[in-house]
Amino acid sequence: MGAQKKRAAAAAAAARVSEDPDDLARQPLQAILLADSFTTKFRPITLERPKVLLPLVNVPMINYTLAWLEAAGVAEVFVFCCAHSKQVIDYLENSEWFSQPNFTVKTIESHNIISAGDALRLIYEQNVIHGDFVLISGDTVSNMSLTQALQEHKERKKKDNNAVMTMIIKKSKPSPITRQSRLGTDELFMAIDPNTKQLLYYEDKADHSKGTICLDKMLLAENPSISLHNDKQDCYIDICSPEVLSLFTDNFDYQHLRRHFVKGLLLDDIMGYKIFTHEIHSSYAARIDNYRSYDIVSKDIIQRWTYPYVPDVKFCGNRATKLERRGICFTAFNSEIEQSRSAQVGSFTVIGYGTKIGSNSKISDSVIGEGCTIGSNVLIEGSYIWDNVIIEDGCELRHVIVCDGVIMKAGAVLKPGVVLSFKVVIGERFVVPAYSKVSLLQQPTVHDSDEELEYADNSSGTVEFSSIQGTADQSNGEMTSESSEAHKPKLGTGGVGYIWSICEGGQEEEWRHSVAPIPEDKLTELSEAMDDDQELVTQDRTALSTSGELISDSNASEGDDNEDSKDDSVYFEKEVEATFLRAVEENVKVDHVILEVNSLRLSYNMTSADCAGAVFYSMMKLAIKTPHSSASELQQNTANIITTWQKLLKSYLLEIDEEIEIILKFEEMCLESAKEFSPLFARILHILYDKDILQEDAILRWADEKEGADESDKVFVRQSEKFIQWLREASEEED
């Protein structure tokens, strides 16, 4: 769809909402809550329970999100469910949320959706959103007020129809050693206009070792003032205009909310849509998308940073608790917990209803669920024990997550970072290695091809698994003799379950994202590596090139990433060429080809100049492949192709620099991959000028830049001397 058609569609969407801005302001605020996490995998927990129903300090995570939306003035929430949809819907229907006055919760279910983009396209088709709305994931905890952010969004919208989204951000404290935030997420780089708060750049995949980013020089040229940050946290709370939904509908390559949609708008030079930011300071907002953030947000709740959504305050879905001295939280009355007098419960610990604690056991900085039985001489530190867990005498648990129904037999030990999934049994005195994941289900034999796609089976929302014969019977725990033999060496005597192997390179992510503190040896290793990198960068910056000039900062910071960048460029060029050739064969319209190339541009994070070079390369390769018997026929082929596809090429030639890139690309082809063009360089340069693809300024600047070069680099300038001289004379006459 062309730019004009896109604008028309967006305008129609806005008009369908309301013709009167005052009516729009009076409409009840709506929200879309994505109950599926399309960006992370919380395995093995999500194999049996949706992420939004994970207990967060003994309350399902989705309750915190819904409670905040209700308090923030949202009148209607659409909860989108895909994987595990039955569990989410059953929970909501049996909760108090469906009976709240002045607060409506509706569910939208689909089993065929594989991304956030698909979910928003489906919601757009159902025509249920009638104005500005809040877009949030079901794993977000906040207590912020939406009043100011909403007001800013609406005022901007009145002045500029292209201001379609306001992103909530918060100051974070990234670690200079691990290059990650306290929530375990990658260091995030943002460029923001300090005056308007417009978002200009967004990147969360910067090089971990050096913390480097690459900014388009046009971004610096077009914005007089830019503030670059690596200390901001994306709260994943967005205030959106209704046009956002239509943009997802018009661009089927938008799948991921940040990687595709946000970056797509920032790179879109045609539509001009804008994203702005609203920074919160004293309020709380955080998203849980890994085990470390699960741990951090839980601690923030217990330490009351999320007030009023804390254990001792009653809100929908939680059980009343009593706050004791030193920050210890118990259930409503101490009589509801059976605790031995010799047991020690430390500060910032939550104990669930009906839990029993044996003699001489020590619990600190932990959350214990309801109905748990903890034996004598048990040590629990910095851990999350869910409901109905049995921990026998003498067990040790440090910085682990234990799901519902788990049994730990006497003397068992869980090393830091372990996650035990539902109803796993750990044998007597068995030691589970650090960062292990243990489940009743065997590890999947088929892995998803994309990190966003987690869902396969339409009815159950589970992925494909190998045979799980030998899993204990859930009613009596009996096992076949064959499975018993298989389990003995893995989880000890009487153990039931499978330890999932960590894929190659996965150990790095395990300690980064675990509930366990980062090991001292890892911090030392990273610190030494960072010092080495800094020393290399310093050396590079002071090193002289063979010509006696200092090496540029950009070259010094690239390091070993050059090869990866080159590989991306090669793959991108091949993809564009394949797309172009298919368009030629199938007679695809130019506007549709532009959409496909834009999709590739987003996927590979390329610039307009990269697109221009790849498109030009594809056109010239087609000219060579087209049958010809002489240089004049090749020239004619080239002229015909340029005439037919000039609109495609010109759509990426937005600046003089991009036109110069075309000339340099042509030079490269003539010297390497398409030497047949060498004697025709000047003639084809003239054709590109005649077709208004290259301006005279671009050609003259290219020639001027070659003046100080070696003679071997001036071959094509010399060949084009007459044409260049003619351009100079014409330019002087105009002056």
Side-chain angles (χ1 to χ4, degrees):
M1 184 180 290
Q4 292 183 345
K5 290 183 178 180
K6 284 186 180 181
R7 283 195 184 278
R16 189 174 65 204
V17 173
S18 173
E19 294 182 358
D20 186 348
D22 293 331
D23 289 342
L24 183 62
R26 289 191 292 268
Q27 288 174 345
L29 183 60
Q30 297 175 298
I32 296 175
L33 188 153
L34 299 177
D36 291 292
S37 178
F38 296 105
T39 56
T40 57
K41 294 180 180 179
F42 229 152
R43 289 177 170 170
I45 294 174
T46 47
L47 299 178
E48 294 101 351
R49 180 182 293 188
K51 184 177 172 186
V52 293
L53 296 186
L54 301 186
L56 194 63
V57 194
N58 292 333
V59 180
M61 200 181 297
I62 196 172
N63 280 7
Y64 287 92
T65 311
L66 291 173
W68 169 68
L69 288 172
E70 181 187 28
V74 174
E76 187 175 35
V77 179
F78 294 94
V79 180
F80 186 88
C81 313
C82 178
H84 307 289
S85 58
K86 187 176 187 304
Q87 290 188 47
V88 177
I89 293 172
D90 287 348
Y91 172 79
L92 291 174
E93 288 179 346
N94 292 306
S95 70
E96 300 175 28
W97 291 115
F98 273 30
S99 59
Q100 293 296 306
N102 304 318
F103 184 69
T104 304
V105 177
K106 298 178 180 178
T107 58
I108 298 176
E109 181 181 14
S110 174
H111 296 295
N112 301 316
I113 300 301
I114 60 173
S115 70
D118 289 341
L120 295 178
R121 280 185 276 274
L122 179 61
I123 292 173
Y124 176 78
E125 291 172 3
Q126 296 195 5
N127 193 26
V128 294
I129 299 298
H130 306 297
D132 292 337
F133 63 95
V134 180
L135 179 61
I136 187 172
S137 59
D139 44 26
T140 300
V141 176
S142 179
N143 63 3
M144 69 169 287
S145 169
L146 284 174
T147 304
Q148 184 179 350
L150 270 171
Q151 186 63 31
E152 290 176 1
H153 176 81
K154 290 178 178 179
E155 288 177 358
R156 273 194 295 261
K157 186 67 176 176
K158 288 179 181 179
K159 298 175 182 177
D160 186 352
N161 286 331
N162 287 334
V164 295
M165 191 169 97
T166 299
M167 180 188 297
I168 307 301
I169 61 174
K170 182 177 175 64
K171 189 176 181 64
S172 67
K173 205 170 188 180
S175 165
I177 297 177
T178 62
R179 298 291 180 188
Q180 66 179 28
S181 72
R182 67 189 290 263
L183 297 176
T185 52
D186 289 338
E187 190 175 51
L188 176 62
F189 288 86
M190 288 183 174
I192 299 172
D193 186 320
N195 300 315
T196 65
K197 305 304 179 185
Q198 182 181 348
L199 181 67
L200 304 172
Y201 179 87
Y202 184 103
E203 181 60 66
D204 61 356
K205 289 187 176 181
D207 182 273
H208 285 288
S209 62
K210 304 181 184 66
T212 59
I213 60 172
C214 181
L215 292 178
D216 189 333
K217 58 185 177 183
M218 294 309 302
L219 182 69
L220 302 175
E222 294 172 358
N223 295 277
S225 181
I226 291 180
S227 179
L228 187 62
H229 302 272
N230 72 330
D231 62 345
K232 301 300 179 188
Q233 168 192 329
D234 185 350
C235 301
Y236 280 85
I237 301 172
D238 303 319
I239 300 171
C240 304
S241 298
E243 291 93 331
V244 167
L245 296 179
S246 66
L247 285 172
F248 273 96
T249 303
D250 294 337
N251 297 274
F252 280 85
D253 52 308
Y254 288 168
Q255 301 293 332
H256 191 282
L257 286 175
R258 295 298 187 255
R259 193 181 312 143
H260 296 151
F261 176 70
V262 169
K263 288 189 177 180
L265 292 196
L266 295 180
L267 292 173
D268 191 344
D269 303 314
I270 301 173
M271 300 300 294
Y273 287 113
K274 301 172 185 175
I275 299 173
F276 291 84
T277 60
H278 174 83
E279 185 172 357
I280 57 176
H281 300 281
S282 58
S283 301
Y284 187 90
R287 183 179 180 223
I288 300 168
D289 61 356
N290 58 63
Y291 296 122
R292 187 168 298 282
S293 55
Y294 178 84
D295 175 52
I296 293 298
V297 174
S298 295
K299 285 181 168 58
D300 289 344
I301 292 172
I302 294 170
Q303 295 173 22
R304 307 177 70 77
W305 291 105
T306 61
Y307 186 87
Y309 310 112
V310 292
D312 59 306
V313 174
K314 174 70 177 174
F315 63 93
C316 193
N318 74 330
R319 188 190 293 269
T321 63
K322 181 180 180 181
L323 181 65
E324 297 288 332
R325 66 187 182 282
R326 293 179 298 143
I328 303 172
C329 294
F330 293 97
T331 50
F333 303 99
N334 288 351
S335 60
E336 295 175 342
I337 302 171
E338 295 184 23
Q339 177 186 345
S340 169
R341 288 182 178 274
S342 59
Q344 300 177 29
V345 179
S347 59
F348 301 115
T349 297
V350 177
I351 308 295
Y353 175 86
T355 287
K356 303 174 183 178
I357 305 173
S359 59
N360 297 312
S361 289
K362 297 180 180 179
I363 304 174
S364 62
D365 296 308
S366 298
V367 177
I368 311 298
E370 298 183 354
C372 295
T373 300
I374 299 172
S376 301
N377 300 303
V378 172
L379 174 63
I380 301 176
E381 178 184 314
S383 298
Y384 299 88
I385 314 301
W386 294 5
D387 297 341
N388 303 310
V389 172
I390 298 174
I391 302 175
E392 296 182 357
D393 297 348
C395 291
E396 292 184 14
L397 302 85
R398 287 183 171 87
H399 306 289
V400 300
I401 297 176
V402 178
C403 297
D404 296 349
V406 165
I407 298 175
M408 289 185 62
K409 295 189 177 294
V413 176
L414 303 183
K415 292 293 186 178
V418 166
V419 177
L420 301 184
S421 192
F422 301 86
K423 300 185 179 180
V424 162
V425 179
I426 304 298
E428 290 185 15
R429 302 187 182 282
F430 185 80
V431 178
V432 182
Y435 308 113
S436 297
K437 306 294 185 294
V438 185
S439 174
L440 285 184
L441 299 172
Q442 287 186 350
Q443 197 159 5
T445 57
V446 178
H447 294 280
D448 304 316
S449 59
D450 189 285
E451 68 177 359
E452 295 179 39
L453 313 183
E454 183 176 359
Y455 316 114
D457 187 279
N458 286 350
S459 58
S460 65
T462 59
V463 294
E464 181 180 342
F465 291 89
S466 56
S467 170
I468 55 172
Q469 277 190 339
T471 299
D473 181 88
Q474 294 184 0
S475 59
N476 57 23
E478 294 181 357
M479 300 169 58
T480 66
S481 59
E482 180 182 353
S483 65
S484 177
E485 291 299 319
H487 282 295
K488 276 184 180 178
K490 294 184 178 179
L491 295 174
T493 304
V496 181
Y498 297 89
I499 295 180
W500 287 18
S501 61
I502 299 174
C503 62
E504 185 178 353
Q507 188 73 33
E508 181 81 3
E509 295 305 312
E510 294 301 325
W511 63 259
R512 282 183 182 276
H513 295 160
S514 169
V515 298
I518 297 176
E520 289 294 331
D521 61 326
K522 287 292 182 183
L523 291 175
T524 302
E525 181 183 324
L526 288 171
S527 181
E528 290 174 353
M530 185 174 66
D531 291 341
D532 292 341
D533 288 337
Q534 187 61 43
E535 184 178 347
L536 286 173
V537 170
T538 303
Q539 290 174 356
D540 287 344
R541 285 179 175 172
T542 56
L544 291 175
S545 66
T546 55
S547 62
E549 296 179 351
L550 284 173
I551 298 173
S552 69
D553 286 348
S554 60
N555 290 332
S557 65
E558 284 176 7
D560 295 334
D561 291 334
N562 283 339
E563 291 302 319
D564 293 337
S565 300
K566 289 178 182 177
D567 288 343
D568 284 346
S569 298
V570 171
Y571 290 134
F572 172 72
E573 201 166 76
K574 288 181 178 179
E575 290 270 17
V576 171
E577 183 180 4
T579 299
F580 176 74
L581 292 177
R582 186 173 65 253
V584 172
E585 292 170 3
E586 300 176 5
N587 197 27
V588 177
K589 293 182 178 179
V590 173
D591 287 341
H592 294 170
V593 182
I594 292 173
L595 286 177
E596 290 194 43
V597 174
N598 284 343
S599 175
L600 292 172
R601 172 188 177 183
L602 293 175
S603 299
Y604 286 90
N605 195 25
M606 295 295 175
T607 64
S608 292
D610 295 322
C611 293
V615 168
F616 179 74
Y617 175 85
S618 303
M619 292 167 60
M620 301 304 282
K621 289 287 284 186
L622 177 61
I624 283 186
K625 291 179 180 179
T626 303
H628 59 276
S629 57
S630 64
S632 60
E633 288 185 9
L634 176 58
Q635 180 181 331
Q636 188 59 49
N637 289 346
T638 306
N640 293 339
I641 291 170
I642 290 173
T643 301
T644 304
W645 296 98
Q646 59 182 321
K647 179 181 178 182
L648 172 63
L649 183 56
K650 289 174 70 173
S651 65
Y652 297 105
L653 299 177
L654 307 177
E655 302 290 341
I656 295 294
D657 289 340
E658 284 143 6
E659 295 180 21
I660 296 174
E661 181 68 25
I662 291 295
I663 305 175
L664 297 175
K665 187 71 175 179
F666 192 26
E667 275 191 297
E668 179 187 318
M669 291 183 69
C670 291
L671 292 171
E672 298 175 7
S673 60
K675 295 182 180 180
E676 201 172 345
F677 279 121
S678 294
L680 299 174
F681 184 91
R683 299 181 191 177
I684 293 175
L685 191 66
H686 205 305
I687 292 172
L688 293 170
Y689 173 76
D690 288 340
K691 298 296 182 182
D692 290 329
I693 291 172
L694 299 180
Q695 301 177 54
E696 62 180 47
D697 286 348
I699 298 172
L700 295 178
R701 275 182 53 185
W702 163 71
D704 291 341
E705 289 174 5
K706 292 284 185 177
E707 283 187 5
D710 296 335
E711 285 301 317
S712 59
D713 291 332
K714 295 182 179 180
V715 174
F716 299 111
V717 174
R718 296 282 184 250
Q719 188 186 131
S720 309
E721 276 182 343
K722 290 183 179 180
F723 178 48
I724 294 170
Q725 184 59 33
W726 179 79
L727 289 176
R728 291 191 192 280
E729 292 173 356
S731 178
E732 290 172 1
E733 288 178 4
E734 289 179 3
D735 294 340

